[in-house]
Each structure stands twice: as C-alpha cells, then as structure tokens.
Amino acid sequence: MKRSRCGAWCLMLASGSALATSSGHTGELLFGLFWVVLAAALMGTVASRFGIPAVVGQVVAGLLIGPSVLKLVRPEEFFLTLAEIGAIFLLFMVGLETRLGELLRVGREALLVAVLGIALPLVLGFGFGFWQGQANVSALFVGTALVATSVGITAKVLQELGVLNDPFAQVILGAAVIDDILGLTLLAVVSGLGAGQDTTAAQVGLTLGLSVGFVALVLTVGIPLVRRGQARLQELSLSRAFNVALVVGLGLAALSTVAGLAPIIRAFLAGMVLAEVKDEVAFESTVHAIEAFLAPVFFVVVGLQVNLGALTQLPVVIAGLVLTVLAVAGKLLGGLLGARSLGRREATLVGLGMVPRGEVGLIVASLGLGAGLIGEPVYAEVLLMVLLTTVLAPLALRALLRRERLVQQAP
Amino acid sequence: MKRSRCGAWCLMLASGSALATSSGHTGELLFGLFWVVLAAALMGTVASRFGIPAVVGQVVAGLLIGPSVLKLVRPEEFFLTLAEIGAIFLLFMVGLETRLGELLRVGREALLVAVLGIALPLVLGFGFGFWQGQANVSALFVGTALVATSVGITAKVLQELGVLNDPFAQVILGAAVIDDILGLTLLAVVSGLGAGQDTTAAQVGLTLGLSVGFVALVLTVGIPLVRRGQARLQELSLSRAFNVALVVGLGLAALSTVAGLAPIIRAFLAGMVLAEVKDEVAFESTVHAIEAFLAPVFFVVVGLQVNLGALTQLPVVIAGLVLTVLAVAGKLLGGLLGARSLGRREATLVGLGMVPRGEVGLIVASLGLGAGLIGEPVYAEVLLMVLLTTVLAPLALRALLRRERLVQQAP
C-alpha cells in the first residue's frame, strides 16, 4: 500500500515537473497528461476510501476534467493512443494471471453467456429504436452499441478484489473473448448495411472463421511453442533470443492483423501464452509497473470521451435511462441464463461483469454518428447508457462480492 | 540481466499483439510503436554485444526505421510526446541518483564548463557560418545549434557504466542544468533577432533571473520541505497525503512554467529533491520500470527525426563534417579548460560528455528552418553534425572509461 502511494506521488511530481514551456503542442499534451495522472490518482484514492472501485473514480475523474465540466483536457489522439496502450498492458496483465486449462473448463458457460449477451441486447436495442420510430439502420446501430462489452473495466475490478481466478471470473473473461469476435463481426455487417453494401453470408463466415482460427491457433500452437522454446531460450545468447522473439512477435502481429481481433483481446491472448512460463522468468513486476502508470490513463480517457453537453433535453435523458435499463437487463439475463449451471449468485456476478459498455460502446456510437447512421439525440442517449453502465456495474459487482464474502464467513 | 531480457521480450509481444486493426490512425500509431520497441530492443542488444553503448544502437535504429531508410515510422507528434515522457523519466531517474551536496562540491567547475561550452561553440559556429557567407542571423543560428547539449544521451551512458556518482559525472550534470538555462535564453534572444525584434537587456535579465531563481528555490526550499514533510506524510492518511502532493505538484508546475526551464531539467530537479527521501520510500523500482520502457523510445525517436534525404550533395556533406569537428572541439575545449582542476583525464571525460547535441540540436535546427532563418543546406549540415556528435561521443566516452578502468586496475 505504501509502495503504490509513493509510486503515484512520484509520477505526479515527474509529470508536474514536465509541465509545458517546451515545443508548442507537445508541451500542451504533457500538461494534459499531468492533469490526467493527477485526477486519476486523486479520484482513485478518494473512491477507494469510500469503498468504491478505483476504476469508477477514475472514469468520473475523466468526466470532470473533460469537455463536459472543467474543460482542462480534450480527448486528443495522443490520449486515445496512450489509453489503448494502457488497456493493452492491463489485459496483458490479466492474461498473465489466466491459465488456459481453467478457462476451457468453463468454456460451455462462456459460449452461452457470450451468445445470449449479444442476442438479447441486440433485440432489446433494436426494439427500442424501432419503438422510438428510428430508421431500421439506426435502430440496428443502437442494438449494436448495446452489444458492446468493455472487459477492461470489469477485469480491473476483479483484479482489485483478487477474484480473477474464481470460476465466474473465468466465465467473464472467456465470454469477453467470444463477445469480441462476434461483436466486431456484427459491427462490420451493420456498418456495411449502413453504407448500402450487402454483406454476403460467405464474407461473414470468412471473417468469423479467421478470428476463431486465430484464437485457436495461438492457444493450441503458441502455448506448446513457448513452453518448448523457453528451455532453449534460456540457453541462447541474448541477441539470438531476441531474434526468436522477433519472429514470434512479427508472426503474431501479421496473423492478428488478418484475423481482425481487437488489440486488447490479442494482448490478453499474448499474456495467457506467456503465463505458461511466467514462473520461470521474472517479467511480471516490470509489466505491472507500466500497467500501474498507464491503466488509470485508460479509465480517465473513457470518462474524457463522454461529452454530456448534448444531454440538455429531458426526453433525451429519459430515453437514455430507458436504454440503460435495457442494456443492464440484456446482459444480466444473458449471464443468469448462460451461466445457470454455476448457481444463481455466480450467474448474477457473470451477468453484472458483462454490463459495462466502456470504450467499446463509445467507439460504436462514434462510428454511427460519424457515418450519419444515427442522429445527435440517439448518440446522446447511447452516451448516457455507456456512462451509467460503466459506473454502476462495478459498484454493484463490488457490493455483491462483499456481501457474498460476509455470508461465506458467517457459518 | 535475465530479467531485463524478459522485460523486453514481454514488451515486444505486448506491442506486437497490439498491432492495428483498431480505429484507424490509433492503430497505425500502435503499429509504429511496435516497430520502435522492436528496433530499440534489437539494436540495443546488438550494440551491447559489440561493446557499444545501447543508446548508440537505439539512435541508429531510429535512423534505420525512419524516413531516411526503411520508412516504417514517421516522427509524428505521438512519438515526439512519448519520447519526451521517456526523457523525463530518464532524467527523473538520474536525479534520484544525485545528491545536492555532491553536485555543489563541483559547482565552480560546472559553471566554468557550462559557460565555456557555450561561448566556444557559439563563436566557432558563428565564424563558420560567416566564412560560408551566410547572413548574420543564419550564422548566429548555426552557433546556437552548436551550443545545444543533450544531457539525456550522456546521462544514460554514464548510468549504464555505473559512474553517475563520479566527480566528473557530477560536473556534467551540473553543467547541463546551467547550460539549459543559458542556452534557452540564447535561443530566445536569437529567435527574437530573427523575427526582427530587439530584445532588451532587461528582458534577458528577467528570463535569466527567473530560471536561476527557480532552480535555487527548488533546491533550497524543496529539499528541506520534502525532508520535513516525509515524516508527516507517513502519518497522514492516504487521501490526505495526496492532497499535500497535489499542492506541491501544482506549485512546482506553476512556478516552472513561469521560469521557462526545459521539462527534462525540471524532472532532474524533481528527482534530486525526492532523492533525499528515496531510501525511506520504495518508489525507485516503479519509476525504473517505466523508464526502461520509455527511455529507449526517446533514443529511437532522436534517430527518427534525422532525415538524411537532404545529404546528397558533396559540399553539404563536407560542410557538415567540418561543423562536426568544430562542434566536438568547442565542447571538448570547454571541458578541458573548465574542469582543469579535476586533472586532464577527467576533464577530457567532462568535455566528451558535453558533446552530444541530440534532440536539443534538432529542436534548434527545426525552429530555424521553420522560421526561415536558415536554408535547407545549412539545416542538412546541422543534422549531420547532430547525428555524428550524438553517435560518436558515447563511443569515445565508453572507450576512454574502459581504458581508464584498465589502467586503474593494473597497479
């Protein structure tokens, strides 16, 4: 505890000392980073003090320093990219704590949760848009935004509470990987429809096949390869070992570009592959330090992107609240039905874990607005839904886990 | 050794797994970062294997993947900002290893080295430009580019060799702080002249006074404050400690914006202030891990910015080589004369340590080109000088230190 406090202390002083007189815009960006780090440290600590997950405090911190309230920092490309690197290290870290065997043991549940957690929100979102009188494509886009899952938010909360290796957490992680594959395919199809292109079943099948094949390949070929390679790598000279890493890294890179998976899911897979050898090689603390620096940046930037300026009209706010209820209901029901076999309490946890829409929901909404497929009011409704699910789900998750632990300790 | 290898391994796999299909340009930037990290790891290792400082390998790596040769990565704002953060953490780290008392003990030498290391290159550069028949302002700009010192390059080499606490290294660090203050003042004056503004002596005095006053204030007030505050901070609750840090951080930030120091020098000062309490608080390893990730990015980006495309004409190349000789002679002489009292060998080391122009030289040259004060050929000459001083000085420094150590071990 003492250590992490001083890490943040230092980071703040280092960033503070980096404030800008230097070359123009770079200086402004460093200044912005100072605010982001400061806000993350401050709000994260305040949240933890009140028994709220630090993640929630950091998303709210982003909302506060962003364009909606204090206008200190704009969500520029630099911050978006740095945030993505933060998410990558976070998921890489989570992957390091995951063993394939344990994940496969709950494979059936994960698949069910993922499929139901896509189908139910899609139908609910489309129905809502249809009922609102939106065009078909617009209603489809609302449905797609409801499908998004931000595994980063949930993963961090589970990591904070130290329950990443519980069966329900494994179901969430497995379902997130499947969700990502199916969700991105859906997004491609809907975007294609919006652009007036008909996507053939063959194309959809190809995209799906590539993604699934890639994941299967990494897990079935990558893990044995790393296991076998490790023994040889330790004998190899430094530069030779790097050449091997180069080939592995480039190969993985080329393959995953073709497969079209989200970077954070690939980072999760890479972490999982390396988890097999992590006990022999001490790289965990290095990755952890970088994650401790950049993951809070990711959460703040999620908040930063939510510009609540459009939420001035009561009908939009009410529609956004209804959408939020549907978003929660869809994923919760998906979890309850899909993970039924784990028992009701665990299934509820799974459902809650799938609720946060986070940065994925924001990306879908921005794509739709940018392509002219949804209008400003619908965009604002989706934004409110993303913010509420991202902030409320971790609160509920933590509260439920606390209560469960008390019940377990009682007898 | 084993640990750092695997840190890099991981980083590469994490970055590799981050390759882009994601949202457009962000994806491209992640792809670029993968190349940067890969090139840094590979060339750094190769260099170390041949007894060359890793820094040199990394600058060359940047040259190779940059616009001059392979054209894999362009020096975009994202990389420049990330590089600056890397330099900040590097200098913060170096500051942590520096104690004020030891620095002040060589204060006289540091001041002399800084002043001579500015006057001599300025005169030599101006004379060269004048002899070439350049306009007065253009010749002055060449002189200013020759004044620049990149303390980051030298500091990393000294850190690698574990001699940061030797007296000569302290002279270099002290001289770098003074150099930065005087150099930035000079750049402001010359830029003002170029823009047709006359800078009054009063303005120059004010700028200088503010910078010097800020450094003095941080060292005389900051260190006792941190020392006293530490005892209380450890008693304070988590959130209260953060409030204190917030005030300190913001105060330092506001002051340094006024003072107009370079961010990396401020990071060095912040590190030096915190060095007083580092033994009681375990934050060093956290900062070190982030530095290990981002400092190589800094060195690669220095190489990335050197576009050698303009170096096709023989006269330009020859002029650039002459400029390099003058650049080396000016700083070497400054060190030899200024640090005379340390003995000839140590004084040579000081002079060599001041030679690399690195990113500071590039910034000066870009400013001059952008404002139309120097032409393309002169810009190319300065670029060649920057590259050669940045790559050759660490080589000479290391060779000399090795020989010296052998001589010391002999008797």
Side-chain angles (χ1 to χ4, degrees), chain B residues 14-313:
Chain B
S15 316
S17 67
L19 282 177
T21 52
S22 62
S23 44
H25 197 220
T26 299
E28 256 176 58
L29 293 178
L30 286 178
F31 211 132
L33 186 63
F34 168 67
W35 287 119
V36 169
V37 171
L38 188 68
L42 199 65
M43 293 291 291
T45 315
V46 170
S48 301
R49 224 174 136 69
F50 287 98
I52 295 170
V55 178
V56 174
Q58 287 160 353
V59 172
V60 173
L63 196 69
L64 289 178
I65 64 172
S68 300
V69 188
L70 294 175
K71 301 181 209 305
L72 290 171
V73 186
R74 275 171 300 134
E76 293 184 78
E77 185 175 67
F78 172 71
F79 296 111
L80 298 182
T81 312
L82 209 60
E84 187 143 359
I85 300 172
I88 284 167
F89 273 99
L90 171 63
L91 268 290
F92 186 65
M93 203 64 207
V94 171
L96 275 180
E97 295 179 42
T98 308
R99 297 263 165 168
L100 180 61
E102 291 168 35
L103 204 61
L104 288 181
R105 210 172 301 149
V106 293
R108 210 182 65 93
E109 284 81 7
L111 185 64
L112 266 175
V113 169
V115 170
L116 286 172
I118 282 183
L120 293 176
L122 184 63
V123 170
L124 288 173
F126 180 77
F128 176 76
F130 192 75
W131 173 81
Q132 266 198 327
Q134 294 177 25
N136 275 350
V137 174
S138 174
L140 253 179
F141 233 94
V142 174
T144 308
L146 249 58
V147 162
T149 300
S150 168
V151 66
I153 303 274
T154 300
K156 187 71 197 181
V157 175
L158 298 176
Q159 197 194 41
E160 260 183 50
L161 295 170
V163 294
L164 261 180
N165 286 313
D166 284 18
F168 84 91
Q170 301 289 315
V171 174
I172 293 176
L173 292 176
V177 173
I178 305 170
D179 237 26
D180 182 63
I181 295 175
L182 297 176
L184 285 179
T185 311
L186 179 67
L187 185 60
V189 174
V190 174
S191 299
L193 277 181
Q197 299 156 356
D198 256 339
T199 316
T200 66
Q203 281 174 313
V204 175
L206 185 69
T207 310
L208 262 179
L210 273 175
S211 307
V212 173
F214 178 72
V215 173
L217 201 74
V218 167
L219 296 182
T220 56
V221 178
I223 290 182
L225 217 72
V226 166
R227 259 198 213 128
R228 192 171 309 167
Q230 184 53 27
R232 286 202 203 147
L233 270 175
Q234 288 185 326
E235 292 163 27
L236 275 182
S237 65
L238 211 60
S239 63
R240 284 275 236 30
F242 265 114
N243 282 334
V244 176
L246 189 150
V247 174
V248 173
L250 280 182
L252 203 79
L255 274 172
S256 52
T257 308
V258 176
L261 287 173
I264 60 170
I265 296 297
R266 271 176 267 153
F268 174 67
L269 290 176
M272 215 157 74
V273 169
L274 283 178
E276 301 293 320
V277 296
K278 76 166 170 177
D279 297 334
E280 288 108 83
V281 224
F283 52 67
E284 236 185 320
S285 67
T286 309
V287 176
H288 182 69
I290 300 169
E291 190 250 19
F293 171 41
L294 290 179
V297 173
F298 168 64
F299 299 121
V300 171
V301 168
V302 169
L304 213 55
Q305 290 173 272
V306 180
N307 188 350
L308 293 180
L311 282 180
T312 48
Q313 293 165 303

Side-chain angles (χ1 to χ4, degrees), chain A residues 1-23 25-27 29-31 33-35 38 41-42 45-46 48-49 76-78 80-82 84-85 88-89 92 96 184 226 230 233-239 241-246 248-250 252-254 256-264 266-268 270 274 280-283 285-287 289-290 292-294 363, chain B residues 1-23 25-27 29-31 33-35 38 41-42 45-46 48-49 76-78 80-82 84-85 88-89 92 96 184 226 230 233-239 241-246 248-250 252-254 256-264 266-268 270 274 280-283 285-287 289-290 292-294 363:
Chain A
M1 212 53 195
K2 190 169 151 196
R3 177 170 169 162
S4 78
R5 181 212 306 180
C6 284
W9 231 87
C10 270
L11 286 175
M12 274 196 297
L13 274 173
S15 314
S17 67
L19 282 177
T21 53
S22 63
S23 45
H25 196 221
T26 298
L29 293 179
L30 286 177
F31 212 132
L33 185 63
F34 169 67
W35 288 120
L38 189 68
L42 198 65
T45 316
V46 170
S48 300
R49 225 175 133 70
E76 292 184 80
E77 185 177 65
F78 172 71
L80 297 182
T81 313
L82 208 61
E84 186 142 359
I85 300 172
I88 284 167
F89 274 99
F92 186 65
L96 274 180
L184 284 180
V226 167
Q230 185 53 26
L233 270 175
Q234 288 184 327
E235 292 164 27
L236 273 183
S237 64
L238 212 58
S239 63
F242 266 115
N243 283 333
V244 175
L246 190 150
V248 173
L250 280 181
L252 204 80
S256 52
T257 308
V258 175
L261 287 172
I264 59 170
R266 272 176 266 152
F268 174 67
L274 284 177
E280 288 109 83
V281 224
F283 52 65
S285 66
T286 309
V287 176
I290 300 170
F293 171 40
L294 290 179
I363 290 171
Chain B
M1 211 54 196
K2 188 170 155 196
R3 178 171 168 163
S4 78
R5 182 212 304 179
C6 285
W9 231 87
C10 271
L11 286 174
M12 275 194 299
L13 275 172
S15 316
S17 67
L19 282 177
T21 52
S22 62
S23 44
H25 197 220
T26 299
L29 293 178
L30 286 178
F31 211 132
L33 186 63
F34 168 67
W35 287 119
L38 188 68
L42 199 65
T45 315
V46 170
S48 301
R49 224 174 136 69
E76 293 184 78
E77 185 175 67
F78 172 71
L80 298 182
T81 312
L82 209 60
E84 187 143 359
I85 300 172
I88 284 167
F89 273 99
F92 186 65
L96 275 180
L184 285 179
V226 166
Q230 184 53 27
L233 270 175
Q234 288 185 326
E235 292 163 27
L236 275 182
S237 65
L238 211 60
S239 63
F242 265 114
N243 282 334
V244 176
L246 189 150
V248 173
L250 280 182
L252 203 79
S256 52
T257 308
V258 176
L261 287 173
I264 60 170
R266 271 176 267 153
F268 174 67
L274 283 178
E280 288 108 83
V281 224
F283 52 67
S285 67
T286 309
V287 176
I290 300 169
F293 171 41
L294 290 179
I363 290 171

Side-chain angles (χ1 to χ4, degrees), chain A residues 100-345:
Chain A
L100 180 61
E102 291 167 34
L103 205 60
L104 287 182
R105 210 171 302 148
V106 292
R108 209 182 66 93
E109 283 81 7
L111 186 64
L112 264 175
V113 169
V115 171
L116 286 172
I118 282 183
L120 294 176
L122 184 63
V123 170
L124 288 173
F126 180 79
F128 176 75
F130 192 77
W131 172 80
Q132 266 198 327
Q134 293 177 26
N136 275 351
V137 176
S138 173
L140 254 180
F141 233 93
V142 173
T144 308
L146 248 59
V147 162
T149 301
S150 168
V151 66
I153 303 276
T154 300
K156 188 72 196 178
V157 175
L158 298 177
Q159 198 193 39
E160 260 184 50
L161 295 171
V163 294
L164 261 179
N165 286 312
D166 284 18
F168 84 90
Q170 301 288 316
V171 173
I172 293 176
L173 291 176
V177 172
I178 304 169
D179 236 24
D180 182 63
I181 295 174
L182 297 176
L184 284 180
T185 310
L186 179 67
L187 185 61
V189 173
V190 174
S191 299
L193 278 181
Q197 298 155 356
D198 257 339
T199 315
T200 65
Q203 281 173 315
V204 175
L206 184 68
T207 311
L208 263 179
L210 274 174
S211 308
V212 173
F214 179 72
V215 173
L217 202 72
V218 167
L219 296 181
T220 56
V221 177
I223 289 181
L225 218 70
V226 167
R227 256 196 217 134
R228 193 171 308 168
Q230 185 53 26
R232 288 200 203 149
L233 270 175
Q234 288 184 327
E235 292 164 27
L236 273 183
S237 64
L238 212 58
S239 63
R240 282 278 233 30
F242 266 115
N243 283 333
V244 175
L246 190 150
V247 174
V248 173
L250 280 181
L252 204 80
L255 274 171
S256 52
T257 308
V258 175
L261 287 172
I264 59 170
I265 296 297
R266 272 176 266 152
F268 174 67
L269 290 176
M272 216 157 73
V273 169
L274 284 177
E276 300 293 321
V277 295
K278 75 167 170 176
D279 297 334
E280 288 109 83
V281 224
F283 52 65
E284 236 186 321
S285 66
T286 309
V287 176
H288 183 70
I290 300 170
E291 188 250 19
F293 171 40
L294 290 179
V297 173
F298 167 65
F299 299 121
V300 172
V301 168
V302 168
L304 214 56
Q305 289 171 274
V306 180
N307 188 351
L308 294 180
L311 281 181
T312 47
Q313 293 164 302
L314 194 62
V316 174
V317 175
I318 292 175
L321 290 176
V322 175
L323 203 58
T324 307
V325 172
L326 295 178
V328 173
K331 289 288 183 185
L332 205 54
L333 216 60
L336 275 170
L337 295 175
R340 206 169 28 195
S341 62
L342 296 179
R344 198 163 136 217
R345 216 172 222 139

